[in-house]
Amino acid sequence: MASYAPAKGQGHVYILSKQAAAQVGLVDLATLSVAGSRPRTVAQSAWLLGPLHNPIPQDCYLAQITVPVEILQVYAASRGLTDTNTLFPSPAEDPMLKALLGLPWEEIKTASSLPGLPAFKRTLELPEYHPSFVKIAPAQIAFYRGTRILDTQDSIDGDSQGGIFVEIPDMVLYGSIQQARPLRFPSIEKLVEENGTVAFEAPVLIKHASLGHLPLYQKGVGVMPRGPGLFEVCELTVEHPGLELTGAGFIRGWTYRKQSNGVWAREARSSDCTCDNAIVHDQHISALHIAEDFLDEPEAFD
């Protein structure tokens, strides 16, 4: 739990130039709003600066104001900022925070761990300003112990052909390519040709906010052969209520055809996913680019 209490002494306010900060990277987080709710991005009129590989450039700073804390407290109160909740809304008001607190928990593995009595911590450690203790956790909270699909399942729903699993680092799912690249995947094509469907499985569970009410998680991506030079790229999803991985399946994806120059091109088919969300399927392609790099040079991911 985190909290704020009145203090005495000197307070500091830094004024930054939006124009200079924009050269580094500046995002207005207050635009990330959800109708009928009050996420902290809106409550704080928040901005995000970065990505930063070094300290904030000096030309971003316009001023530093140093005054007694009492003056800042009076100033905040005059604008209705009287308690923690005004800047840090509870999960009941903030669906973004609720989604982040709903991420899978990961097992704590130490030399002092007790056999048969696993302990877990949040995957993302967030300071909390409101009690969130529950005596019995609901099924949609996953306590993940590194279980692989083949540890509990003989096959994957949605794959009638069978194939192989390829274990990949979590960077394949969490990472993103820095610039657009031609869709060339010779190493992946070779795996598909030799084995049929290829399921790239990561050692993590990824929770999509839209599925927060269900115990469903992304665990990888899949590539399925759909004919000569034709490939379906889809999401590998698992069902993981509580402690157990109880199911696995492929979510319908988008289809791509290999052109004469070796580059894949989107070829819409009636059997494709109908979500019409290019961002989701572009992320699958981004994961394939990183998976291709991993197959070519696995030691670079150590």
Side-chain angles (χ1 to χ4, degrees), residues 29 77 84 90 162 181 185 192 215 221 226 272 281:
L29 293 180
T84 304
S90 72
R181 294 161 56 177
F185 307 108
V192 173
V221 292
R226 292 305 189 200
D272 283 356
H281 296 280

Side-chain angles (χ1 to χ4, degrees), residues 181-195 198 200 223 231 258 261-264 288-289 291-293 295-296:
R181 294 161 56 177
L183 275 59
R184 286 194 176 92
F185 307 108
S187 296
I188 292 175
E189 290 172 12
K190 187 172 185 293
L191 283 177
V192 173
E193 181 181 348
E194 295 174 348
N195 303 280
V198 177
F200 292 100
V223 181
F231 306 91
K258 182 180 178 180
N261 59 1
V263 176
W264 292 13
L288 282 197
H289 280 298
E292 179 78 13
D293 293 342
L295 293 174
D296 294 340

Side-chain angles (χ1 to χ4, degrees), residues 3 8 25 40-41 43 49 57 63 76 86 125 132 135 142 166 179 188 197 210-211 232 243 258 262 264 290:
S3 62
K8 294 185 178 181
R40 66 175 59 184
T41 53
L49 178 65
T86 56
E125 296 284 4
S132 63
K135 188 172 182 179
V166 176
Q179 58 186 9
I188 292 175
T197 298
S210 60
L211 299 176
E232 181 181 347
L243 283 166
K258 182 180 178 180
W264 292 13
I290 302 174

Side-chain angles (χ1 to χ4, degrees), residues 47-227:
W47 291 76
L48 176 68
L49 178 65
L52 292 170
H53 303 288
N54 295 295
I56 297 175
Q58 194 64 36
D59 64 349
C60 287
Y61 294 100
L62 293 180
Q64 176 184 350
I65 301 173
T66 302
V67 295
V69 166
E70 291 83 356
I71 293 178
L72 296 179
Q73 291 171 347
V74 171
Y75 182 82
S78 70
R79 280 152 179 78
L81 306 178
T82 56
D83 56 59
T84 304
N85 196 62
T86 56
L87 287 179
F88 298 94
S90 72
E93 296 181 89
D94 185 349
M96 297 182 190
L97 176 61
K98 183 178 180 180
L100 291 173
L101 293 178
L103 293 174
W105 292 48
E106 62 182 19
E107 187 176 10
I108 302 171
K109 296 181 180 180
T110 66
S112 59
S113 298
L114 298 177
L117 188 62
F120 298 83
K121 65 177 181 178
R122 292 192 187 279
T123 303
L124 182 63
E125 296 284 4
L126 291 172
E128 294 188 61
Y129 302 93
H130 307 83
S132 63
F133 172 79
V134 291
K135 188 172 182 179
I136 301 177
Q140 60 264 33
I141 295 180
F143 296 95
Y144 183 56
R145 307 185 69 183
T147 305
R148 297 172 301 180
I149 292 174
L150 288 181
D151 292 337
T152 62
Q153 309 297 308
D154 296 326
S155 61
I156 301 178
D157 292 341
D159 176 25
S160 59
Q161 305 180 53
I164 63 168
F165 283 86
V166 176
E167 294 186 12
I168 54 174
D170 56 11
M171 179 59 67
V172 174
L173 299 185
Y174 287 139
S176 61
I177 55 174
Q178 295 184 343
Q179 58 186 9
R181 294 161 56 177
L183 275 59
R184 286 194 176 92
F185 307 108
S187 296
I188 292 175
E189 290 172 12
K190 187 172 185 293
L191 283 177
V192 173
E193 181 181 348
E194 295 174 348
N195 303 280
T197 298
V198 177
F200 292 100
E201 181 181 6
V204 294
L205 302 180
I206 292 181
K207 172 61 110 180
H208 295 306
S210 60
L211 299 176
H213 61 297
L214 298 171
L216 299 177
Y217 305 86
Q218 182 181 3
K219 205 172 191 297
V221 292
V223 181
M224 291 186 278
R226 292 305 189 200

Side-chain angles (χ1 to χ4, degrees), residues 226 230 253 255-257 266-274:
R226 292 305 189 200
L230 198 62
T255 306
Y256 301 83
R257 184 174 294 280
R266 170 95 167 92
E267 183 175 295
R269 298 169 68 87
S270 59
S271 58
D272 283 356
C273 172
T274 58

